[in-house]
């Protein structure tokens, strides 16, 4: 396989930036990133360069602007796309559904239309375990029925998968993989890049590390009355670099024509359910810091418990997780300290 050029949308974002690092470690791939820095910083590119020693070509564009987006395909010969760019705050999507429908759907419509126009036939889509809704049976595998979602964010991921499936049905030569992430957390082992939200984050782990670093006064545990072992929600936390490596494997799989169907779905989770209180305990253990937190009300849009059976990704892609919850918390904390020290 000659060197392939991969367009990464949302490449300055959390999972996008870690995936670019993994792609650049593989000599088969050139990377182009498109990002509008809605919730990310161009500094991510400098950090990628510092970690890998490589420069990538970048575009600053909003993918909802089809004309601008078209330039990337006109100016470059793209072999595959990894599509991360999207809004992702579950709670906000319940408050502002149209913001989510507009951005997450319009950008994907544009991407698929441009792939069709420029004959790009390999796409990897960032999906989410939230597509499963409030599941009754755990762990969740790819055959678990898709229920009504708890949030508009999750529904945009269901619709996105349906769109890909429809395009795959229409074009036998078009190939797509949807990767359903559970809860990506942690940071690159170098501690030089990690989750980098511009405003106060919504996700648990950056809120834990930010509270411990003194950026936020106190963490609120959102609901202590769920029907779980300690009353708090259960999630399958998975290290971002493990998620990133799955993208490279999925891309290899597509480009080497190993896929059995032209639309395939894989769960990416560690397989372990961890409650919010257990996550806090893991953080306190690895950081040696006591976290200031209080119990609070439930958050709209949250499911009670979800964790993955990722056997399919293991069997088809040869993917497995390297990091456990302690490593996730340790790398997240080291990144928080690096960020604070460098004024990021
Ligand atoms: C959801 C998706 C995940 C997606 C992510 C994008 C599910 C099951 N997972 O994650 O696939 O990648 O959105 O944002 O839908 N919490 C607190 N206090 C806080 C913040 C969060 O207790 O201040 C709790 C939440 O109630 C939840 C857990 O921490 O139980 C994780 O929340 P969060 O990090 O926001 O991720 P999800 O919403 O679970």
């Amino acid at each position: 396989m000659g060197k392939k050029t991969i367009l990464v949308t949302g490449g300055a974002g959390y999972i996008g930036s870690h995936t670019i690092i993994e792609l650049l470690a593989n000599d088969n791939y050139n990377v182009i990133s498109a990002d509008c820095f809605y919730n990310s910083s161009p500094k991510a590119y400098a950090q990628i360069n510092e970690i890998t020693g490589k420069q990538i070509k970048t575009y600053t564009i909003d993918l909802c602007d089809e004309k601008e987006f078209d330039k990337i395909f006109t100016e470059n010969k793209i072999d595959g796309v990894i599509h991360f760019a999207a809004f992702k705050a579950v709670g906000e999507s319940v408050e502002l559904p149209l913001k989510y429908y507009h951005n997450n759907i319009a950008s994907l419509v544009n991407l698929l239309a441009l792939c069709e126009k420029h004959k790009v036939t390999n796409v990897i889509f960032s999906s989410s375990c939230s597509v499963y809704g409030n599941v009754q049976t755990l762990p969740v595998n790819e055959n678990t029925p898709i229920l009504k979602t708890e949030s508009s964010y999750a529904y945009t991921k269901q619709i996105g998968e349906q769109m890909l499936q429809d395009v795959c049905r229409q074009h036998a030569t078009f190939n797509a993989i949807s990767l359903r992430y559970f809860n990506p957390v942690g940071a690159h082992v170098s501690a030089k890049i990690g989750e980098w939200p511009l405003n106060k984050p919504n996700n648990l782990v950056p809120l834990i590390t930010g509270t411990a670093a003194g950026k936020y006064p106190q963490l609120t545990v959102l609901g202590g009355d769920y029907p779980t072992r300690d009353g708090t929600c259960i999630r399958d936390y998975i290290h971002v670099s493990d998620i990133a490596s799955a993208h490279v494997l999925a891309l290899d799989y597509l480009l080497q024509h190993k896929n059995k169907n032209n639309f395939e779905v894989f769960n990416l989770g560690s397989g372990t359910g961890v409650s919010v209180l257990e996550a806090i305990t893991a953080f306190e253990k690895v950081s040696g810091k006591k976290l200031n937190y209080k119990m609070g009300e439930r958050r709209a849009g949250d499911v009670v418990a979800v964790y993955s059976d990722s056997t399919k990704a293991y069997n088809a892609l040869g993917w497995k997780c390297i990091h456990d919850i302690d490593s996730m918390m340790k790398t997240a904390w080291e990144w928080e300290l690096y960020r604070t020290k460098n004024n990021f």
Side-chain angles (χ1 to χ4, degrees), residues 88 128 181-183 203-204 207 220 222 233 235 299 302:
K88 60 146 201 165
S128 161
Y181 317 148
F182 282 65
N183 281 52
N203 294 112
L204 180 66
L207 285 169
T220 304
L222 299 171
C233 289
R235 296 287 181 272
R299 176 174 70 177
D302 268 340

Side-chain angles (χ1 to χ4, degrees), residues 112-339:
L112 294 176
L114 291 169
C115 284
E116 194 170 51
K117 177 175 167 192
H118 294 276
K119 303 200 173 8
V120 177
T121 56
N122 298 295
V123 171
I124 294 178
F125 176 64
S126 283
S127 187
S128 161
C129 67
S130 57
V131 298
Y132 292 110
N134 232 331
V135 286
Q136 302 304 318
T137 318
L138 293 168
V140 174
N141 68 31
E142 294 80 355
N143 296 321
T144 300
I146 299 285
L147 303 175
K148 187 174 171 353
T149 60
E150 294 294 310
S151 70
S152 302
Y153 159 77
Y155 194 44
T156 66
K157 295 297 179 186
Q158 276 191 0
I159 298 169
E161 289 195 357
Q162 188 61 53
M163 286 162 61
L164 288 166
Q165 210 170 338
D166 292 352
V167 173
C168 284
R169 195 181 310 124
Q170 189 202 356
H171 297 288
T173 52
F174 185 79
N175 299 289
I177 287 182
S178 181
L179 297 176
R180 293 178 179 160
Y181 317 148
F182 282 65
N183 281 52
V185 298
H188 191 259
V189 286
S190 66
K192 290 180 177 170
I193 200 161
E195 193 162 1
W196 206 333
L198 296 188
N199 301 309
K200 188 176 175 189
N202 299 295
N203 294 112
L204 180 66
V205 174
L207 285 169
I208 290 177
T209 58
T211 303
K215 282 185 192 159
Y216 320 117
Q218 191 176 41
L219 178 90
T220 304
V221 174
L222 299 171
D225 59 349
Y226 283 102
T228 60
R229 50 185 175 262
D230 61 16
T232 65
C233 289
I234 291 182
R235 296 287 181 272
D236 182 333
Y237 296 97
I238 170 163
H239 195 279
V240 64
S241 295
D242 284 330
I243 295 265
S245 70
H247 287 76
V248 182
L249 291 170
L251 201 57
D252 292 344
Y253 176 82
L254 280 188
L255 295 174
Q256 292 166 18
H257 311 292
K258 290 184 177 162
N259 50 325
K260 289 170 196 65
N261 299 300
N262 67 338
F263 177 68
E264 292 189 13
V265 171
F266 295 100
N267 279 355
L268 298 181
S270 69
T272 307
V274 171
S275 74
V276 177
L277 292 178
E278 289 163 353
I280 292 173
T281 303
F283 170 78
E284 289 180 333
K285 187 177 94 185
V286 300
S287 68
K289 286 188 85 87
K290 200 93 203 99
L291 189 76
N292 181 11
Y293 70 90
K294 64 169 189 201
M295 302 307 294
E297 295 298 310
R298 292 181 177 196
R299 176 174 70 177
D302 268 340
V303 299
V304 181
V306 66
Y307 54 91
S308 171
D309 171 352
S310 303
T311 315
K312 189 179 172 198
Y314 175 76
N315 288 338
L317 307 176
W319 173 77
K320 52 179 192 286
C321 294
I322 293 172
H323 298 271
D324 61 10
I325 188 74
D326 288 353
S327 168
M328 296 177 214
M329 290 298 175
K330 181 171 178 285
T331 52
W333 181 231
E334 285 167 354
W335 159 241
E336 183 73 59
L337 295 174
Y338 178 90
R339 233 183 121 180

Side-chain angles (χ1 to χ4, degrees), residues 4-19:
K4 303 286 185 191
T5 298
I6 308 304
L7 170 63
V8 177
T9 72
Y14 178 40
I15 309 175
S17 58
H18 288 77
T19 299

